[in-house]
Amino acid sequence: MHNPKVIVQFQHSAIPEEWGSPQDGQARPGVVKRGIDDHDDIPDGEVPQADHLVFMVHGIGPVCDLRFRSIVECVDDFRTVSLKLLQSHFKKSVDEGKVRRVEFLPVHWHGALHGDATGVDRHIKKITLPSIGRLRHFTNETLLDILFYNSPTYCQTIVDKVSLEVNRLYELFMSRNPDFTGRVSVAGHSLGSLILFDILSNQTDITASPPASTLAKVKKSESAVEKQNNFPETRESNEAGLPQEDLPCLQEALESLTLAEYTSVLEKEKMDMESLLMCTIDDLKEMGIPLGPRKKIAKYVEELSARQAEKKILTDKRNLHNKQEESPPFDVHDGLEPPSRKLPVGASVSSIHVDYEHFETGTGQVSVRYNSLDFEPVNFFALGSPIGMFLTVRGVDRIEENYRLPTCKGFFNIYHPLDPVAYRLEPMILPDLDLKPLLVPHHKGRKRLHLELKESLSRMGSDLKHGVMSSLRLAWQTLNEFARAHTSSSQLQAELEKVADQIKEEEDKQQVEAEKLEGSESWREEELSVKIGMLNGGRRIDYVLQEKPIESFNEYLFALQSHLCYWESEDTALLILKEIYKSLNVFPDLTLH
């Protein structure tokens, strides 16, 4: 406190020390006032009741934009942008009480992977070179998440965290909003969209009978769970050909948890693995084991007990139904699907050695167990998504036209044209049809000025070329007639006719280009009416944003920024709002100009 009216607050910086400390002199004094001068300056705040709920999952790394903000801060900005767009584009519906607001909630999973639970950061730090520390820190915090998601060890951790966190937030939201009657959608950015796609691909639609491909996928998942739950070092074969699992010794279990120093404490109490499985967290506390190791041991015991129970159920089921079979119960050509089938999109597959199973189309996906969501989402919005690239790498060269997400009808792949991480999906469904992505309208109406200017200049250039060629053809015809009247050389006349034909051909070409530009709007309407499979209910899937005028000057300079632009993009937020309220039969006001 400098005086009774001036107070200065020095906040702690959230920036890691590796990136340096904030500069001095950034804190500014704030004037302390008693009472309120102007009540009109205080905003009314959000409407308590929400029409729709959207969960937003972040991509790689702990930060989501170039300002090093977390997913919580970025979603707050996205929520603010959506509220402004509701007032500007849905004003009539807001005034009539048909539209209230859309609630956006962040889903954070990065901490579960890089926290103390997995210990992966400690292992990575030991093997990281000391040079170029900031770049290596950036790589370990962000780019390695892509490798972690393709790892049989850590993919399960990521998938469990996202699905369980979404269910937890949904339950918490419903408990605090008991009058909420709206539907739910999900949105994912970058790697987060791929995680959501895999989760939604492995949901079960209980209202419809699954087709053969879905049935095969579910049965393969059971086989994958059985294989995954067996410890390779203790796997044996009994007389019926079924795997048996022995409990690991106490020392091996503690070493796998990096808690070998507590082996003597447990051995002093004459503990082995069987007695450890019967211990409670209070028993561990009485032995003097600290809170952190106590939690790790309790979680390990819980997971080991669950694996044993699950293995017993699967073994009993296999003994009952497959007693006489000598080959694996579900092969690629087991009759559930034709031999020439493609790999199901998002299917869980595994193998004995490295949790992979080889199909004729490629390696496939890491074998994990997917939790069921507590709701059925209406739409799935993928922002700057690499789904198409990952499916191709997994060996899925095509998505069947009749394929859809089991519990989600809407799917929108939204990307910036300069985004280096984004990939299209429509060419995987209709590879023979050359379709451009749908251009997302500018939130102020029509197209951005530089795009309209580019089209106008193209149309003007085409008209100018057409006019020049017409004038040239008329002049050449006059010259040709004059030459015919004053000479009898057949060779000269043939050359003149050849040049005249070339001019006429060029003129026709320019005429075709002019007609193509004039008919571009009608072509856009035809593209809108094209049916693109069932992934988005037959509607278009790929939507491209319009780049800003400054971004068109140097594409490489704004590549990274374009991948992080969605959190503050009014065009993206407006498209999401339109699709959400379209399902409620509410449409925006007339387009602004």
Side-chain angles (χ1 to χ4, degrees):
M1 298 291 295
H2 288 262
N3 56 56
K5 291 186 177 181
V6 177
I7 182 174
V8 180
Q9 180 183 8
F10 296 93
Q11 298 180 349
H12 293 286
S13 175
I15 303 176
E17 295 182 357
E18 289 82 355
W19 297 95
S21 58
Q23 299 178 358
D24 297 334
Q26 289 185 350
R28 296 182 180 180
V31 179
V32 180
K33 295 184 178 181
R34 183 182 297 276
I36 301 175
D37 295 336
D38 191 356
H39 295 273
D40 297 333
D41 294 340
I42 301 178
D44 295 332
E46 297 177 346
V47 181
Q49 190 69 20
D51 299 316
H52 202 87
L53 176 62
V54 180
F55 293 106
M56 308 193 78
V57 181
H58 67 86
I60 60 175
V63 297
C64 295
D65 63 358
L66 293 178
R67 288 186 281 173
F68 298 97
R69 296 187 304 170
S70 66
I71 177 66
V72 176
E73 296 174 287
C74 290
V75 172
D76 283 343
D77 265 9
F78 198 87
R79 187 187 301 111
T80 303
V81 170
S82 68
L83 291 174
K84 292 180 180 178
L85 290 174
L86 288 178
Q87 293 294 331
S88 60
H89 289 71
F90 293 83
K91 183 172 179 55
K92 183 179 178 181
S93 299
V94 170
D95 295 338
E96 295 176 354
K98 297 180 180 179
V99 169
R100 286 166 292 193
R101 68 182 178 91
V102 176
E103 179 62 80
F104 296 91
L105 295 180
V107 179
H108 183 67
W109 56 265
H110 185 269
L113 176 64
H114 293 268
D116 294 334
T118 61
V120 64
D121 285 351
R122 296 194 303 270
H123 301 313
I124 292 294
K125 189 175 182 180
K126 292 178 181 178
I127 60 177
T128 301
L129 301 182
S131 59
I132 52 173
R134 295 185 179 183
L135 180 58
R136 297 188 190 278
H137 175 76
F138 171 78
T139 303
N140 294 342
E141 285 284 323
T142 57
L143 300 182
L144 284 188
D145 288 346
I146 302 174
L147 301 180
F148 286 140
Y149 188 68
N150 287 278
S151 163
T153 304
Y154 299 104
C155 182
Q156 186 70 60
T157 302
I158 298 175
V159 170
D160 285 345
K161 178 61 178 179
V162 172
S163 56
L164 295 178
E165 181 69 7
V166 168
N167 286 338
R168 184 188 71 84
L169 292 175
Y170 178 73
E171 181 182 359
L172 183 62
F173 179 83
M174 295 302 296
S175 65
R176 296 181 179 179
N177 299 271
D179 298 331
F180 178 75
T181 58
R183 301 291 300 277
V184 185
S185 295
V186 292
H189 174 241
S190 188
L191 182 62
S193 64
L194 178 66
I195 300 172
L196 285 177
F197 182 82
D198 289 338
I199 293 175
L200 294 176
S201 298
N202 288 275
Q203 297 297 297
T204 303
D205 186 5
I206 59 176
T207 61
S209 58
S213 60
T214 306
L215 182 62
K217 179 176 66 176
V218 173
K219 291 183 180 297
K220 285 182 181 296
S221 297
E222 294 178 357
S223 178
V225 171
E226 182 180 0
K227 293 173 184 177
Q228 187 178 8
N229 289 337
N230 294 326
F231 290 97
E233 63 272 11
T234 60
R235 183 176 301 160
E236 298 177 353
S237 296
N238 55 15
E239 295 178 357
L242 298 176
Q244 272 188 341
E245 175 185 332
D246 296 330
L247 289 176
C249 68
L250 182 64
Q251 185 175 359
E252 291 177 353
L254 293 178
E255 286 178 354
S256 65
L257 297 173
T258 64
L259 300 176
E261 62 267 27
Y262 297 101
T263 305
S264 58
V265 177
L266 296 177
E267 290 178 347
K268 183 180 180 181
E269 300 291 337
K270 300 187 181 300
M271 298 284 294
D272 56 10
M273 280 303 299
E274 292 183 0
S275 56
L276 182 63
L277 290 177
M278 295 183 287
C279 282
T280 64
I281 196 167
D282 293 330
D283 296 332
L284 298 175
K285 184 177 180 180
E286 291 179 1
M287 297 179 195
I289 299 178
L291 178 61
R294 193 162 68 232
K295 289 285 187 180
K296 290 184 180 181
I297 296 174
K299 183 179 179 182
Y300 176 81
V301 169
E302 180 182 359
E303 291 177 351
L304 185 59
S305 301
R307 284 199 296 267
Q308 284 189 321
E310 193 173 55
K311 175 183 175 295
K312 185 178 183 302
I313 294 174
L314 291 173
T315 303
D316 294 341
K317 185 186 297 184
R318 186 173 176 182
N319 284 332
L320 181 63
H321 295 288
N322 303 300
K323 204 167 186 180
Q324 303 299 327
E325 293 184 3
E326 297 180 358
S327 60
F330 296 102
D331 198 5
V332 177
H333 307 303
D334 55 0
L336 292 173
E337 293 185 59
S340 60
R341 70 172 181 86
K342 300 296 182 182
L343 179 66
V345 180
S348 300
V349 293
S350 70
S351 179
I352 295 177
H353 301 291
V354 292
D355 288 335
Y356 286 97
E357 184 171 327
H358 292 271
F359 288 83
E360 62 270 20
T361 55
T363 302
Q365 184 188 345
V366 176
S367 172
V368 296
R369 297 185 302 273
Y370 292 92
N371 299 310
S372 298
L373 299 179
D374 295 339
F375 56 88
E376 293 188 357
V378 181
N379 296 307
F380 169 36
F381 301 99
L383 311 177
S385 172
I387 293 176
M389 181 268 291
F390 272 87
L391 291 180
T392 303
V393 171
R394 292 172 181 174
V396 182
D397 55 355
R398 182 174 179 181
I399 302 175
E400 300 298 333
E401 293 187 37
N402 60 352
Y403 179 79
R404 64 177 182 86
L405 299 176
T407 59
C408 183
K409 295 182 179 179
F411 183 21
F412 300 88
N413 183 33
I414 308 169
Y415 61 92
H416 191 282
L418 306 182
D419 191 341
V421 181
Y423 290 83
R424 294 192 62 185
L425 278 170
E426 290 177 349
M428 297 187 68
I429 303 175
L430 298 176
D432 299 330
L433 190 60
D434 186 15
L435 275 180
K436 294 182 179 179
L438 283 183
L439 188 67
V440 178
H442 190 259
H443 66 283
K444 293 185 179 179
R446 301 183 65 179
K447 296 181 180 179
R448 292 186 182 270
L449 181 60
H450 71 289
L451 295 180
E452 288 194 350
L453 181 60
K454 185 186 299 184
E455 290 186 359
S456 299
L457 290 176
S458 300
R459 188 176 293 107
M460 184 185 303
S462 179
D463 294 341
L464 183 60
K465 289 180 181 179
H466 179 64
V468 170
M469 296 306 299
S470 298
S471 302
L472 182 59
R473 182 174 59 85
L474 292 175
W476 191 261
Q477 287 179 350
T478 304
L479 180 61
N480 190 14
E481 293 175 357
F482 178 79
R484 285 181 179 179
H486 291 81
T487 182
S488 59
S489 174
S490 58
Q491 183 178 2
L492 178 59
Q493 292 181 2
E495 292 294 333
L496 292 174
E497 290 177 357
K498 183 178 179 181
V499 176
D501 292 340
Q502 292 177 353
I503 295 175
K504 182 65 169 63
E505 182 181 353
E506 185 67 24
E507 182 187 10
D508 294 340
K509 183 179 178 180
Q510 296 299 330
Q511 179 68 25
V512 170
E513 292 181 359
E515 293 176 355
K516 186 183 297 185
L517 286 173
E518 292 176 359
S520 59
E521 295 300 327
S522 61
W523 172 245
R524 278 294 175 186
E525 295 179 0
E526 292 180 5
E527 287 184 340
L528 283 172
S529 61
V530 174
K531 186 176 181 179
I532 309 291
M534 295 303 297
L535 195 55
N536 192 21
R539 300 172 56 197
R540 297 294 304 274
I541 299 173
D542 293 336
Y543 292 81
V544 60
L545 300 174
Q546 302 179 32
E547 73 271 19
K548 297 179 181 178
I550 191 174
E551 293 174 346
S552 60
F553 288 107
N554 192 323
E555 298 179 349
Y556 296 94
L557 185 62
F558 295 94
L560 179 60
Q561 179 179 338
S562 65
H563 181 60
L564 307 173
C565 72
Y566 305 98
W567 305 110
E568 299 177 348
S569 172
E570 294 93 343
D571 300 348
T572 303
L574 182 58
L575 176 61
I576 293 177
L577 292 177
K578 285 180 179 179
E579 295 301 329
I580 287 175
Y581 282 106
K582 183 183 292 185
S583 62
L584 302 176
N585 292 323
V586 177
F587 301 93
D589 303 335
L590 294 177
T591 306
L592 301 178
H593 293 282

